[in-house]
Amino acid sequence: MSLENLTRHYHEILSDLGENPEREGLQGTPLRAAKAMQFLCRGYNESLEDIVNGALFESENDEMVIVKDIELYSMCEHHMLPFIGKAHVAYIPTGRVIGLSKVARIVDMYARRLQIQENLTRQIAEALQSVTHAKGVAVVIEAKHMCMMMRGVEKQNSSMHTSVMLGAFRNSGTTRQEFLQLITR
């Protein structure tokens, strides 16, 4: 959707809420809100191929690689309110490793879409598996959801934890346990 259309829709939303979009404090708000939404949902304009950009490197390492505490910001697809948290991502390489920043960029690409945390966790795991062909991939996400904090049940201290384990992380309790212990240190 174009910036012009989004701006018009935000103008209408303000009017429908009983506000005057022309009052001093709201002048320019529809445009700013439209730009913010485009930024928050920029993952729709990114692709896995562009993100990875060939950053796979030969390596003899066959031990677990973990990138933990990757901050993430996403938008709940049910209420279009933010959820904020961190992802812990691990994989066991099979002859090649991915550039470190690419793991965080993959998290961001999927997080910057209207989303539910359960799907986000799986999308990250499957994307990393597809580009690395790892023996296994594990993703754990911990997040706080504004849709649960600001409205509805209004539970301020609740957080949601999701996990997806693929390959060796699913098939080996020892591997899974090692990962879980390392991300809680």
Side-chain angles (χ1 to χ4, degrees):
M1 184 171 277
S2 74
L3 183 61
E4 183 179 314
N5 285 340
L6 280 172
T7 301
R8 187 180 79 256
H9 290 302
Y10 275 110
H11 191 279
E12 291 172 11
I13 288 169
L14 289 171
S15 293
D16 289 347
L17 290 171
E19 266 293 355
N20 174 7
E22 305 308 322
R23 76 172 170 82
E24 183 181 356
L26 291 177
Q27 289 176 1
T29 295
L31 176 60
R32 286 188 297 273
K35 286 180 179 179
M37 188 57 73
Q38 282 185 330
F39 180 82
L40 294 172
C41 293
R42 71 183 184 271
Y44 291 117
N45 298 319
E46 298 175 323
S47 73
L48 187 56
E49 296 76 26
D50 289 342
I51 293 290
V52 174
N53 194 27
L56 294 163
F57 308 101
E58 297 295 320
S59 174
E60 293 181 23
N61 179 42
D62 62 355
E63 297 291 330
M64 190 181 305
V65 175
I66 301 174
V67 184
K68 62 184 247 185
D69 297 326
I70 302 167
E71 67 269 6
L72 66 86
Y73 307 92
S74 194
M75 298 282 284
C76 163
E77 67 186 29
H78 298 139
H79 301 100
M80 293 181 62
L81 290 171
F83 63 93
I84 300 164
K86 57 187 175 180
H88 312 291
V89 180
Y91 70 102
I92 301 172
T94 55
R96 59 188 189 166
V97 294
I98 189 169
L100 176 62
S101 70
K102 303 306 181 180
V103 176
R105 290 180 192 278
I106 290 169
V107 170
D108 284 345
M109 179 183 72
Y110 289 107
R112 294 304 187 151
R113 299 173 182 187
L114 297 178
Q115 194 62 275
I116 62 172
Q117 184 175 328
E118 298 91 335
N119 291 347
L120 173 60
T121 310
R122 177 154 302 281
Q123 289 167 350
I124 295 165
E126 289 176 349
L128 190 58
Q129 177 67 47
S130 76
V131 296
T132 64
H133 306 289
K135 290 179 192 169
V137 173
V139 177
V140 169
I141 295 178
E142 310 167 34
K144 290 186 167 276
H145 292 251
M146 297 301 122
C147 58
M148 193 160 161
M149 296 170 71
M150 296 175 65
R151 55 160 307 282
V153 296
E154 298 183 77
K155 299 300 176 203
Q156 304 307 305
N157 298 306
S158 64
S159 64
M160 181 176 182
H161 296 231
T162 51
S163 69
V164 170
M165 307 288 169
L166 303 177
F169 290 95
R170 177 179 281 285
N171 300 330
S172 169
T174 304
T175 303
R176 183 172 45 256
Q177 191 59 37
E178 178 185 353
F179 166 66
L180 294 171
Q181 285 177 347
L182 288 170
I183 66 171
T184 58
R185 289 186 180 172

